[in-house]
Short mmCIF file of all heavy atoms in Angstrom, two decimals:
data_model
loop_
_atom_site.label_atom_id
_atom_site.label_comp_id
_atom_site.label_asym_id
_atom_site.label_seq_id
_atom_site.Cartn_x
_atom_site.Cartn_y
_atom_site.Cartn_z
N ASN A 1 0.81 -1.21 0.00
CA ASN A 1 0.00 0.00 0.00
C ASN A 1 0.84 1.27 0.00
O ASN A 1 0.32 2.35 -0.24
CB ASN A 1 -0.95 0.01 1.20
CG ASN A 1 -2.00 -1.07 1.08
OD1 ASN A 1 -2.46 -1.37 -0.01
ND2 ASN A 1 -2.36 -1.65 2.19
N GLU A 2 2.12 1.16 0.30
CA GLU A 2 2.97 2.34 0.41
C GLU A 2 4.01 2.45 -0.69
O GLU A 2 4.83 3.37 -0.67
CB GLU A 2 3.66 2.34 1.78
CG GLU A 2 2.67 2.45 2.92
CD GLU A 2 3.33 2.53 4.27
OE1 GLU A 2 4.53 2.80 4.33
OE2 GLU A 2 2.63 2.30 5.27
N VAL A 3 3.99 1.53 -1.65
CA VAL A 3 4.93 1.59 -2.77
C VAL A 3 4.14 1.52 -4.08
O VAL A 3 2.99 1.10 -4.11
CB VAL A 3 5.99 0.48 -2.72
CG1 VAL A 3 6.88 0.63 -1.50
CG2 VAL A 3 5.38 -0.89 -2.74
N MET A 4 4.80 1.95 -5.15
CA MET A 4 4.15 2.05 -6.46
C MET A 4 4.74 1.03 -7.43
O MET A 4 5.89 0.63 -7.31
CB MET A 4 4.38 3.44 -7.06
CG MET A 4 3.92 4.57 -6.19
SD MET A 4 2.16 4.69 -6.05
CE MET A 4 1.77 5.42 -7.61
N CYS A 5 3.94 0.63 -8.40
CA CYS A 5 4.44 -0.13 -9.53
C CYS A 5 5.06 0.87 -10.48
O CYS A 5 4.42 1.85 -10.86
CB CYS A 5 3.30 -0.89 -10.22
SG CYS A 5 3.82 -1.69 -11.75
N LEU A 6 6.30 0.67 -10.84
CA LEU A 6 7.01 1.63 -11.68
C LEU A 6 6.46 1.69 -13.10
O LEU A 6 6.57 2.70 -13.77
CB LEU A 6 8.50 1.31 -11.70
CG LEU A 6 9.19 1.41 -10.34
CD1 LEU A 6 10.63 0.94 -10.44
CD2 LEU A 6 9.12 2.82 -9.81
N VAL A 7 5.87 0.62 -13.57
CA VAL A 7 5.34 0.57 -14.93
C VAL A 7 3.94 1.17 -14.99
O VAL A 7 3.64 1.99 -15.84
CB VAL A 7 5.33 -0.89 -15.45
CG1 VAL A 7 4.64 -0.98 -16.80
CG2 VAL A 7 6.73 -1.42 -15.54
N CYS A 8 3.08 0.77 -14.06
CA CYS A 8 1.68 1.19 -14.08
C CYS A 8 1.46 2.58 -13.49
O CYS A 8 0.53 3.27 -13.85
CB CYS A 8 0.81 0.20 -13.30
SG CYS A 8 0.99 -1.49 -13.85
N GLY A 9 2.27 2.96 -12.52
CA GLY A 9 2.08 4.24 -11.85
C GLY A 9 0.95 4.21 -10.83
O GLY A 9 0.41 5.25 -10.49
N VAL A 10 0.57 3.04 -10.38
CA VAL A 10 -0.48 2.88 -9.36
C VAL A 10 0.13 2.17 -8.16
O VAL A 10 1.19 1.56 -8.27
CB VAL A 10 -1.70 2.09 -9.91
CG1 VAL A 10 -2.36 2.83 -11.05
CG2 VAL A 10 -1.31 0.70 -10.33
N PRO A 11 -0.56 2.21 -7.01
CA PRO A 11 -0.03 1.47 -5.86
C PRO A 11 0.15 -0.01 -6.20
O PRO A 11 -0.62 -0.58 -6.98
CB PRO A 11 -1.10 1.66 -4.78
CG PRO A 11 -1.76 2.94 -5.13
CD PRO A 11 -1.74 3.01 -6.64
N LEU A 12 1.17 -0.59 -5.64
CA LEU A 12 1.53 -1.98 -5.94
C LEU A 12 0.38 -2.94 -5.63
O LEU A 12 0.22 -3.96 -6.29
CB LEU A 12 2.78 -2.37 -5.16
CG LEU A 12 3.44 -3.69 -5.53
CD1 LEU A 12 3.87 -3.68 -6.99
CD2 LEU A 12 4.62 -3.96 -4.64
N ALA A 13 -0.44 -2.60 -4.64
CA ALA A 13 -1.56 -3.46 -4.28
C ALA A 13 -2.57 -3.58 -5.42
O ALA A 13 -3.31 -4.56 -5.50
CB ALA A 13 -2.25 -2.91 -3.03
N LEU A 14 -2.61 -2.58 -6.33
CA LEU A 14 -3.57 -2.60 -7.44
C LEU A 14 -2.97 -3.08 -8.75
O LEU A 14 -3.70 -3.33 -9.70
CB LEU A 14 -4.15 -1.19 -7.64
CG LEU A 14 -4.82 -0.55 -6.44
CD1 LEU A 14 -5.21 0.87 -6.75
CD2 LEU A 14 -6.03 -1.37 -6.02
N ALA A 15 -1.66 -3.17 -8.82
CA ALA A 15 -0.97 -3.47 -10.08
C ALA A 15 -0.85 -4.98 -10.29
O ALA A 15 -0.76 -5.75 -9.34
CB ALA A 15 0.40 -2.83 -10.08
N ASP A 16 -0.81 -5.36 -11.58
CA ASP A 16 -0.64 -6.77 -11.92
C ASP A 16 0.35 -6.96 -13.06
O ASP A 16 0.35 -7.98 -13.73
CB ASP A 16 -2.00 -7.39 -12.28
CG ASP A 16 -1.98 -8.90 -12.21
OD1 ASP A 16 -1.19 -9.43 -11.40
OD2 ASP A 16 -2.72 -9.55 -12.96
N ALA A 17 1.19 -5.97 -13.30
CA ALA A 17 2.19 -6.05 -14.37
C ALA A 17 3.34 -6.95 -13.94
O ALA A 17 3.52 -7.22 -12.74
CB ALA A 17 2.72 -4.65 -14.68
N PRO A 18 4.15 -7.44 -14.88
CA PRO A 18 5.31 -8.25 -14.51
C PRO A 18 6.27 -7.52 -13.56
O PRO A 18 6.84 -8.13 -12.67
CB PRO A 18 5.98 -8.55 -15.86
CG PRO A 18 4.88 -8.46 -16.86
CD PRO A 18 3.94 -7.41 -16.33
N GLN A 19 6.40 -6.21 -13.75
CA GLN A 19 7.25 -5.43 -12.84
C GLN A 19 6.68 -5.46 -11.43
O GLN A 19 7.41 -5.57 -10.45
CB GLN A 19 7.37 -3.97 -13.32
CG GLN A 19 8.10 -3.06 -12.38
CD GLN A 19 9.56 -3.45 -12.17
OE1 GLN A 19 10.19 -3.99 -13.06
NE2 GLN A 19 10.08 -3.19 -11.00
N ALA A 20 5.37 -5.39 -11.30
CA ALA A 20 4.73 -5.45 -9.99
C ALA A 20 4.99 -6.81 -9.34
O ALA A 20 5.23 -6.89 -8.12
CB ALA A 20 3.23 -5.21 -10.12
N GLN A 21 4.96 -7.86 -10.12
CA GLN A 21 5.24 -9.19 -9.59
C GLN A 21 6.69 -9.28 -9.09
O GLN A 21 6.95 -9.86 -8.03
CB GLN A 21 4.98 -10.27 -10.66
CG GLN A 21 3.54 -10.36 -11.11
CD GLN A 21 2.60 -10.69 -9.97
OE1 GLN A 21 2.94 -11.38 -9.02
NE2 GLN A 21 1.37 -10.17 -10.06
N ARG A 22 7.62 -8.66 -9.83
CA ARG A 22 9.02 -8.67 -9.40
C ARG A 22 9.18 -7.90 -8.09
O ARG A 22 9.92 -8.33 -7.19
CB ARG A 22 9.92 -8.07 -10.48
CG ARG A 22 10.15 -9.00 -11.65
CD ARG A 22 11.24 -8.47 -12.57
NE ARG A 22 10.83 -7.32 -13.34
CZ ARG A 22 10.17 -7.37 -14.49
NH1 ARG A 22 9.84 -8.53 -15.00
NH2 ARG A 22 9.86 -6.27 -15.13
N GLU A 23 8.48 -6.78 -7.97
CA GLU A 23 8.55 -6.01 -6.72
C GLU A 23 7.97 -6.81 -5.56
O GLU A 23 8.51 -6.79 -4.45
CB GLU A 23 7.81 -4.68 -6.88
CG GLU A 23 8.52 -3.69 -7.78
CD GLU A 23 7.77 -2.38 -7.94
OE1 GLU A 23 7.16 -1.93 -6.95
OE2 GLU A 23 7.80 -1.82 -9.04
N ARG A 24 6.86 -7.53 -5.79
CA ARG A 24 6.26 -8.35 -4.74
C ARG A 24 7.22 -9.45 -4.29
O ARG A 24 7.32 -9.74 -3.10
CB ARG A 24 4.95 -8.95 -5.21
CG ARG A 24 3.80 -8.03 -5.10
CD ARG A 24 2.47 -8.75 -5.32
NE ARG A 24 1.45 -7.77 -5.59
CZ ARG A 24 1.10 -7.35 -6.80
NH1 ARG A 24 1.64 -7.88 -7.87
NH2 ARG A 24 0.17 -6.42 -6.94
N VAL A 25 7.90 -10.09 -5.25
CA VAL A 25 8.87 -11.14 -4.91
C VAL A 25 9.99 -10.55 -4.06
O VAL A 25 10.41 -11.14 -3.06
CB VAL A 25 9.42 -11.81 -6.19
CG1 VAL A 25 10.62 -12.68 -5.89
CG2 VAL A 25 8.33 -12.61 -6.87
N PHE A 26 10.46 -9.37 -4.44
CA PHE A 26 11.51 -8.69 -3.67
C PHE A 26 11.04 -8.41 -2.25
O PHE A 26 11.75 -8.66 -1.27
CB PHE A 26 11.89 -7.38 -4.39
CG PHE A 26 13.04 -6.65 -3.77
CD1 PHE A 26 14.34 -7.02 -4.04
CD2 PHE A 26 12.82 -5.58 -2.92
CE1 PHE A 26 15.41 -6.34 -3.46
CE2 PHE A 26 13.87 -4.90 -2.35
CZ PHE A 26 15.17 -5.28 -2.62
N ILE A 27 9.81 -7.89 -2.13
CA ILE A 27 9.25 -7.59 -0.79
C ILE A 27 9.08 -8.87 0.01
O ILE A 27 9.42 -8.91 1.21
CB ILE A 27 7.91 -6.84 -0.93
CG1 ILE A 27 8.15 -5.45 -1.53
CG2 ILE A 27 7.22 -6.71 0.42
CD1 ILE A 27 6.89 -4.75 -1.96
N THR A 28 8.59 -9.94 -0.61
CA THR A 28 8.40 -11.22 0.09
C THR A 28 9.73 -11.74 0.60
O THR A 28 9.82 -12.23 1.74
CB THR A 28 7.75 -12.24 -0.85
OG1 THR A 28 6.53 -11.70 -1.34
CG2 THR A 28 7.47 -13.54 -0.14
N ARG A 29 10.77 -11.62 -0.21
CA ARG A 29 12.10 -12.07 0.21
C ARG A 29 12.58 -11.25 1.42
O ARG A 29 13.13 -11.80 2.38
CB ARG A 29 13.09 -11.92 -0.95
CG ARG A 29 14.37 -12.67 -0.74
CD ARG A 29 15.31 -12.62 -1.94
NE ARG A 29 14.62 -12.75 -3.22
CZ ARG A 29 14.78 -11.90 -4.24
NH1 ARG A 29 15.60 -10.89 -4.13
NH2 ARG A 29 14.14 -12.10 -5.37
N MET A 30 12.33 -9.95 1.41
CA MET A 30 12.75 -9.09 2.53
C MET A 30 11.95 -9.41 3.79
O MET A 30 12.49 -9.40 4.89
CB MET A 30 12.59 -7.62 2.16
CG MET A 30 13.42 -7.18 0.96
SD MET A 30 15.17 -7.32 1.23
CE MET A 30 15.46 -5.86 2.16
N VAL A 31 10.65 -9.70 3.64
CA VAL A 31 9.82 -10.06 4.80
C VAL A 31 10.30 -11.37 5.39
O VAL A 31 10.38 -11.52 6.61
CB VAL A 31 8.32 -10.13 4.40
CG1 VAL A 31 7.50 -10.80 5.48
CG2 VAL A 31 7.78 -8.75 4.11
N SER A 32 10.67 -12.32 4.53
CA SER A 32 11.15 -13.61 5.05
C SER A 32 12.50 -13.48 5.73
O SER A 32 12.86 -14.31 6.56
CB SER A 32 11.23 -14.64 3.92
OG SER A 32 12.24 -14.28 2.99
N GLN A 33 13.25 -12.42 5.41
CA GLN A 33 14.53 -12.14 6.09
C GLN A 33 14.31 -11.35 7.37
O GLN A 33 15.27 -10.89 7.98
CB GLN A 33 15.47 -11.37 5.16
CG GLN A 33 15.94 -12.18 3.98
CD GLN A 33 16.75 -11.33 3.02
OE1 GLN A 33 16.97 -10.15 3.23
NE2 GLN A 33 17.21 -11.96 1.95
N CYS A 34 13.04 -11.15 7.74
CA CYS A 34 12.68 -10.51 9.01
C CYS A 34 13.06 -9.03 9.02
O CYS A 34 13.52 -8.51 10.04
CB CYS A 34 13.32 -11.26 10.17
SG CYS A 34 12.38 -11.10 11.68
N ARG A 35 12.85 -8.34 7.90
CA ARG A 35 13.15 -6.91 7.82
C ARG A 35 11.92 -6.10 8.22
O ARG A 35 10.79 -6.52 8.01
CB ARG A 35 13.56 -6.53 6.40
CG ARG A 35 14.76 -7.26 5.86
CD ARG A 35 16.03 -6.62 6.39
NE ARG A 35 17.22 -7.34 6.00
CZ ARG A 35 17.94 -7.08 4.93
NH1 ARG A 35 17.58 -6.13 4.11
NH2 ARG A 35 19.01 -7.79 4.67
N SER A 36 12.14 -4.91 8.75
CA SER A 36 11.02 -4.04 9.12
C SER A 36 10.51 -3.33 7.87
O SER A 36 11.14 -3.35 6.82
CB SER A 36 11.46 -3.01 10.15
OG SER A 36 12.37 -2.09 9.57
N LYS A 37 9.35 -2.68 7.99
CA LYS A 37 8.76 -1.99 6.86
C LYS A 37 9.68 -0.88 6.35
O LYS A 37 9.85 -0.72 5.14
CB LYS A 37 7.41 -1.40 7.24
CG LYS A 37 6.66 -0.86 6.05
CD LYS A 37 5.42 -0.04 6.34
CE LYS A 37 4.45 -0.64 7.27
NZ LYS A 37 3.19 0.15 7.34
N SER A 38 10.29 -0.13 7.26
CA SER A 38 11.18 0.95 6.82
C SER A 38 12.43 0.39 6.14
O SER A 38 12.92 0.97 5.17
CB SER A 38 11.55 1.84 8.00
OG SER A 38 12.26 1.10 8.97
N GLN A 39 12.93 -0.74 6.63
CA GLN A 39 14.09 -1.36 5.97
C GLN A 39 13.72 -1.85 4.57
O GLN A 39 14.50 -1.71 3.62
CB GLN A 39 14.61 -2.53 6.80
CG GLN A 39 15.28 -2.13 8.09
CD GLN A 39 15.62 -3.33 8.96
OE1 GLN A 39 14.94 -4.35 8.92
NE2 GLN A 39 16.67 -3.20 9.76
N ILE A 40 12.52 -2.40 4.44
CA ILE A 40 12.08 -2.89 3.14
C ILE A 40 11.91 -1.73 2.17
O ILE A 40 12.35 -1.79 1.01
CB ILE A 40 10.76 -3.69 3.27
CG1 ILE A 40 10.99 -4.96 4.08
CG2 ILE A 40 10.17 -4.02 1.90
CD1 ILE A 40 9.72 -5.69 4.47
N LYS A 41 11.32 -0.64 2.63
CA LYS A 41 11.14 0.52 1.76
C LYS A 41 12.49 1.12 1.36
O LYS A 41 12.67 1.53 0.21
CB LYS A 41 10.25 1.55 2.44
CG LYS A 41 8.79 1.10 2.46
CD LYS A 41 7.87 1.92 3.32
CE LYS A 41 7.88 3.37 3.14
NZ LYS A 41 6.90 4.08 3.96
N SER A 42 13.43 1.15 2.28
CA SER A 42 14.77 1.64 1.95
C SER A 42 15.44 0.75 0.91
O SER A 42 16.10 1.23 -0.01
CB SER A 42 15.63 1.71 3.21
OG SER A 42 15.13 2.65 4.10
N ALA A 43 15.28 -0.56 1.06
CA ALA A 43 15.86 -1.50 0.09
C ALA A 43 15.19 -1.34 -1.28
O ALA A 43 15.86 -1.42 -2.32
CB ALA A 43 15.70 -2.93 0.59
N LEU A 44 13.88 -1.09 -1.30
CA LEU A 44 13.19 -0.86 -2.56
C LEU A 44 13.70 0.41 -3.24
O LEU A 44 13.89 0.43 -4.46
CB LEU A 44 11.68 -0.75 -2.32
CG LEU A 44 10.93 -2.07 -2.14
CD1 LEU A 44 9.54 -1.82 -1.59
CD2 LEU A 44 10.85 -2.82 -3.44
#
């Protein structure tokens, strides 16, 4: 809800482009590494 899809220009929660899927995979990997929301946003 706090990040955007770079291709669509909409919040990631609403996007379904391949770029959005790559961003979700990146976020999922960071969540599984036990990172906080601010750390994940900084990494993004």
Side-chain angles (χ1 to χ4, degrees):
N1 293 325
E2 296 183 16
V3 296
M4 304 290 283
C5 173
L6 297 175
V7 173
C8 306
V10 297
L12 190 60
L14 303 175
D16 198 29
Q19 174 64 31
Q21 297 300 329
R22 284 190 289 275
E23 289 179 37
R24 278 191 197 93
V25 168
F26 185 82
I27 293 169
T28 304
R29 195 175 320 128
M30 299 297 280
V31 167
S32 67
Q33 292 174 1
C34 207
R35 302 279 175 93
S36 68
K37 189 190 310 188
S38 62
Q39 290 173 331
I40 294 170
K41 286 169 51 176
S42 295
L44 281 166

